[in-house]
Amino acid sequence: MELIGFPDSVFTRAARMGLYVQGREHAFTAIDPFTEEGRRSLSVHTPFGRVPVYIDGAFICYESPAILRAIDDDTLFPQGQRGARVLQVTSIVQSDVYRPLVRQVFAHGFYRPQHGASADRSEVRAGLKAASLALGALEGIAAEGLVLNTERMTAADCLLAPMIAAFAEVPEGEEELRGYPKLSDWYAWISLQAPFARTTPPWAGDT
């Protein structure tokens, strides 16, 4: 098995976490999708030039939720009501979490400045404002206890945790997260789990 990804990417981290939850050792090939060479390499496997890409023999799969499904043995995507909540969180993460928490708050409040790129503080403010709706919905799901429950990891944990980690690197994001006690408890728990620790990105803890 091989996973092609960008170490800084939250979606790459999500896929790697899933592989470790499943106990699947794999080769990891780092490719930067923001370079011409990286895009050329990725074009062999995906028409979109995005990471991660999962390869298992002749089977090639891209998009993190699909990769997590491909490697699953009913742990990451359980059946019944728990499974429905996993899919719900997956949808919320893609449609309502990624842009405000990662592309706006994290990118402009932490990542771009750390790499000497221009950053727009208005994007941080806009992201924080938009984040409250998604975080409130996830707080309710965590309080229910079917998923994000500090007991066992599913695809919901794998997809959400890297984005919360990125969000919390920004002081305003960390402060916002404290307003959601169930999510905060869940994040404190998942931060101690081996799949999360083994996939720490290069930017984590930068000052």
Side-chain angles (χ1 to χ4, degrees):
M1 296 179 187
E2 179 185 8
L3 190 75
I4 299 172
F6 184 45
D8 288 0
S9 161
V10 293
F11 284 113
T12 294
R13 189 178 191 184
R16 295 199 76 192
M17 284 180 63
L19 285 161
Y20 286 129
V21 169
Q22 297 290 71
R24 299 183 185 227
E25 293 297 329
H26 57 280
F28 179 67
T29 301
I31 289 181
D32 187 343
F34 300 105
T35 66
E36 183 177 348
E37 181 181 356
R39 288 190 294 272
R40 186 167 53 249
S41 297
L42 287 167
S43 69
V44 176
H45 306 296
T46 168
F48 303 109
R50 293 194 295 260
V51 291
V53 176
Y54 170 69
I55 302 174
D56 185 3
F59 180 73
I60 299 174
C61 186
Y62 49 85
E63 301 297 332
S64 293
I67 293 170
L68 293 173
R69 177 73 80 172
I71 65 174
D72 188 32
D73 62 1
D74 294 331
T75 298
L76 297 174
F77 291 91
Q79 301 299 310
Q81 293 181 348
R82 289 186 67 239
R85 287 291 186 248
V86 170
L87 292 177
Q88 187 175 14
V89 172
T90 298
S91 179
I92 292 171
V93 164
Q94 293 177 289
S95 61
D96 300 292
V97 171
Y98 175 62
R99 176 169 171 74
L101 272 68
V102 179
R103 294 295 298 273
Q104 292 183 297
V105 175
F106 170 70
H108 288 272
F110 180 85
Y111 191 81
R112 292 177 67 85
Q114 286 295 318
H115 288 77
S118 62
D120 185 347
R121 290 297 300 180
S122 69
E123 285 290 308
V124 175
R125 293 190 293 272
L128 287 166
K129 183 177 180 179
S132 62
L133 180 63
L135 292 175
L138 293 167
E139 175 76 3
I141 291 172
E144 178 190 48
L146 290 176
V147 296
L148 309 179
N149 57 16
T150 73
E151 294 175 6
R152 60 184 112 178
M153 292 179 63
T154 68
D157 301 84
C158 295
L159 286 161
L160 180 60
M163 299 193 190
I164 295 294
F167 184 64
E169 285 286 347
V170 180
E172 298 98 319
E174 185 179 31
E175 181 179 356
E176 177 72 15
L177 184 61
R178 293 194 196 104
Y180 304 90
K182 289 296 183 181
L183 269 183
S184 295
D185 289 346
W186 162 80
Y187 182 61
W189 171 79
I190 205 166
S191 297
L192 300 176
Q193 306 309 302
F196 185 87
R198 291 184 71 178
T199 57
T200 302
W203 49 257
D206 281 357
T207 57

